[in-house]
Amino acid sequence: MLMAEYGTGQIPLSKCAHLFGLSTDEAAKRAGRQSLPVPTFRAGTQKSPWMIDAARLATYLDRQKERAESDWAKLNCQR
């Protein structure tokens, strides 16, 4: 689904920073420290944009969804 949405397997951080609840600038700062929940990289020089692998981002989002479903089930007495 991410590949269809973004049209590539390598997603610019500027296009998906909102998925981490961050502004583009804050996400870029964290990317430089590798402190986002997924690895980031630059495909060229230090002036190249930060990128995220679509598969890694999909795995992260799937885990977030599983945690939310688990929390919801606990709060609603479902197992």
Side-chain angles (χ1 to χ4, degrees), residues 2 16 19-21 36-39 52-67:
L2 287 174
C16 61
L19 297 174
F20 304 113
L36 290 171
V38 295
I52 295 178
D53 181 71
R56 295 276 184 124
L57 182 57
T59 299
Y60 166 75
L61 294 173
D62 287 344
R63 286 186 186 138
Q64 293 297 98
K65 178 182 159 241
E66 290 167 4
R67 286 184 194 137

Side-chain angles (χ1 to χ4, degrees), residues 6 8-9 14 21 29 38 41-42 46 49 51-53 55 59 63-64 68-72 74 76-77 79:
Y6 293 102
T8 180
S14 61
K29 288 176 189 174
V38 295
F41 63 95
R42 292 182 185 216
Q46 287 192 349
M51 306 292 284
I52 295 178
D53 181 71
T59 299
R63 286 186 186 138
Q64 293 297 98
E69 288 173 344
S70 176
D71 290 346
W72 183 89
K74 288 175 187 174
N76 290 284
C77 299
R79 294 180 186 232

